Amino acid sequence: MSSESDKKEFHILPHPAKDNNPEQPGEGLNWGKFSGPAGAFHAHGPEIPTQEQIQNLEQPLSKEELKKRAEELNK
């Protein structure tokens, strides 16, 4: 019951990469050399804040303040 015009055609297109080298910049997870989503796995140790950054931090809330805030949010 199906005619020739109802059949689907499929084509194989070439891959846009010139070669299969994963180290080539701009390809795969290496775009921008350690940038993007995979960049977090190339860290070089802990981030140590400067004294200026430490001084600009807010003081942590007390347990009572945190409990009061939790009650407000859970209403």
Side-chain angles (χ1 to χ4, degrees):
M1 295 217 175
S2 67
S3 65
E4 290 291 322
S5 63
D6 291 342
K7 292 184 181 179
K8 297 190 185 295
E9 287 187 30
F10 297 97
H11 301 281
I12 297 175
L13 299 175
H15 191 274
K18 303 293 182 215
D19 60 6
N20 200 18
N21 182 3
E23 297 298 322
Q24 186 176 359
E27 305 269 335
L29 295 177
N30 268 345
W31 55 277
K33 200 62 175 174
F34 305 135
S35 65
F41 299 106
H42 298 285
H44 297 288
E47 177 69 30
I48 301 173
T50 63
Q51 286 299 322
E52 183 180 333
Q53 290 172 325
I54 292 172
Q55 291 172 355
N56 290 335
L57 291 175
E58 298 176 7
Q59 292 298 317
L61 299 176
S62 67
K63 288 185 179 184
E64 293 82 23
E65 292 171 319
L66 290 173
K67 186 175 181 181
K68 182 179 177 183
R69 180 71 176 138
E71 288 173 359
E72 289 175 14
L73 294 172
N74 289 327
K75 286 183 181 179

